[in-house]
Amino acid sequence: MENVAKDSAAGLAAGVAAVLTGHPFDTIKVKLQTQNTGVNSLHYRNAIDCTMCILKNEGAKGFYKGATSSFVGVALESSLLFGAYSQMKFALQGGDFSEPHLSSIIPSAAIGGACISIILCPTELVKCRLQVQAKDIGSCLQRYDGPLDCVVKTVRRGGVQGLFRGGITTFMRESIGNVVFFTTYEISRYHLLSAVGRILDKPFNAVPVSGELATLANKRTYSRILFEAGVDIFSGGLAGMMFWSAVLPLDVAKTRIQTSVDLKSSTNTLRNTQLIYRELGFRGLYAGLGPTLTRAFPANAAAMVTWELTAKILGVRHYEK
């Protein structure tokens, strides 16, 4: 039970780091995904044009619209995801952490992703609706004064179920995406650490993780700590880019569903994906790819290095003999 709390705390810290780093890029992505729709009639030439429009019309604070909702949602989501993933993987591997096992990584990541979709759906709905509204004439979505006002008006108009609009699409994105994410992260991290370990004449993965920074410093040189942090940054960033490359079409469909001004419009994932393809082609399914991948690397790199460091400080063991 103690390790569950520690894993969850490490996940919460990772979530906060991800939002601080990646929210501005997420705002650009959402605006690109909703351009020329019922909520945003503006057309952006590219991500840079979108960035300049936000700065001109809303100022720097425009990049952090919906950030409050993201902090709440991502903090809870990361806490649950990393806690569930770590504990389930530990149970399935039976304490064998000598190398990654897909038989434990895949189900752990899929179930963890499915669980967090319950939290992410309403918080992302609020975030997206706040992000698409602007001070210019291109935005025709009902104005919200903030996250709470958005929640109240959404419930008033569509009931509590209105907060879970796009829930199935969110479920699909998170379960599939997290399988890709953790598989990429675990495998790339393992092989990179093994390679670095050979260079430094001592395998990283054979060293137990200590619960105290002082002990950690005694067991490893500062160069080893820095090398491992570098590997965490690279592996986390790469995993984040693979996540979004795999599920961005689902994310575009989810954004359309959640920001639609017509409550009678379809919430079917396949139907919305087909509509986007007919309207905009394959390119439409990957709207916002540039800012999404630009955000994915630093946000997930920050999240994973924070997760690993926090877990070590708290004494959670990810790798053992």
Side-chain angles (χ1 to χ4, degrees), residues 18-319:
V19 174
L20 285 173
T21 309
H23 193 81
F25 298 102
D26 187 67
T27 297
I28 297 170
K29 178 203 73 173
V30 169
K31 284 185 177 290
L32 288 171
Q33 289 177 345
T34 57
Q35 63 182 327
N36 292 324
T37 65
V39 297
N40 188 6
S41 62
L42 289 177
H43 177 72
Y44 307 108
R45 292 190 298 273
N46 48 46
I48 295 176
D49 182 46
C50 181
T51 301
M52 298 308 295
C53 284
I54 295 173
L55 283 172
K56 178 181 177 181
N57 297 317
E58 305 170 64
K61 66 180 181 180
F63 291 107
Y64 280 91
K65 277 192 171 181
T68 302
S69 173
S70 283
F71 271 118
V72 174
V74 174
L76 291 174
E77 168 250 321
S78 296
S79 179
L80 176 60
L81 173 63
F82 285 103
Y85 172 76
S86 298
Q87 292 301 308
M88 187 170 296
K89 188 183 73 167
F90 181 83
L92 290 175
Q93 288 191 195
D96 177 17
F97 291 93
S98 57
E99 62 182 69
H101 298 282
L102 292 180
S103 59
S104 59
I105 293 173
I106 291 175
S108 300
I111 293 174
C115 290
I116 63 173
S117 65
I118 300 172
I119 296 173
L120 277 181
C121 184
T123 57
E124 288 204 356
L125 181 141
V126 172
K127 172 185 70 71
C128 288
R129 291 188 175 185
L130 289 172
Q131 285 174 322
V132 296
Q133 67 179 8
K135 295 180 179 178
D136 49 71
I137 60 173
S139 179
C140 57
L141 184 66
Q142 181 181 4
R143 301 289 301 174
Y144 303 112
D145 295 328
L148 183 59
D149 184 51
C150 182
V151 170
V152 171
K153 288 178 178 176
T154 299
V155 173
R156 186 180 298 160
R157 191 170 175 216
V160 175
Q161 64 267 31
L163 292 172
F164 290 89
R165 184 178 176 85
I168 298 298
T169 312
T170 306
F171 173 88
M172 293 173 64
R173 185 195 71 179
E174 291 303 313
S175 55
I176 296 171
N178 276 292
V179 167
V180 174
F181 179 88
F182 281 107
T183 299
T184 302
Y185 178 74
E186 296 280 13
I187 291 178
S188 62
R189 185 177 191 271
Y190 171 77
H191 287 293
L192 285 172
L193 287 180
S194 296
V196 172
R198 286 194 295 272
I199 293 173
L200 298 179
D201 298 321
K202 191 173 183 181
F204 275 78
N205 293 324
V207 182
V209 175
S210 171
E212 300 291 336
L213 275 179
T215 306
L216 180 65
N218 289 332
K219 290 199 173 205
R220 302 182 182 187
T221 64
Y222 286 110
S223 62
R224 286 180 178 277
I225 296 172
L226 290 175
F227 269 121
E228 185 167 348
V231 168
D232 294 338
I233 289 171
F234 178 80
S235 297
L238 176 64
M241 294 179 75
M242 292 299 294
F243 176 104
W244 287 109
S245 296
V247 301
L248 192 60
L250 291 173
D251 186 65
V252 175
K254 180 195 75 70
T255 300
R256 290 276 187 119
I257 292 169
Q258 292 187 324
T259 58
S260 175
V261 294
D262 182 9
L263 294 182
K264 294 182 180 180
S265 62
S266 174
T267 58
N268 183 279
T269 305
L270 180 59
R271 177 168 174 74
N272 274 276
T273 303
Q274 290 175 332
L275 287 173
I276 294 168
Y277 181 76
R278 287 173 191 166
E279 292 172 9
L280 303 168
F282 186 77
R283 183 178 179 180
L285 294 173
Y286 279 88
L289 178 64
T292 298
L293 294 184
T294 302
R295 166 193 179 275
F297 193 95
N300 287 282
M304 299 313 288
V305 74
T306 301
W307 179 46
E308 294 287 356
L309 179 60
T310 306
K312 288 163 189 170
I313 293 173
L314 295 176
V316 180
R317 299 190 177 192
H318 292 303
Y319 295 92

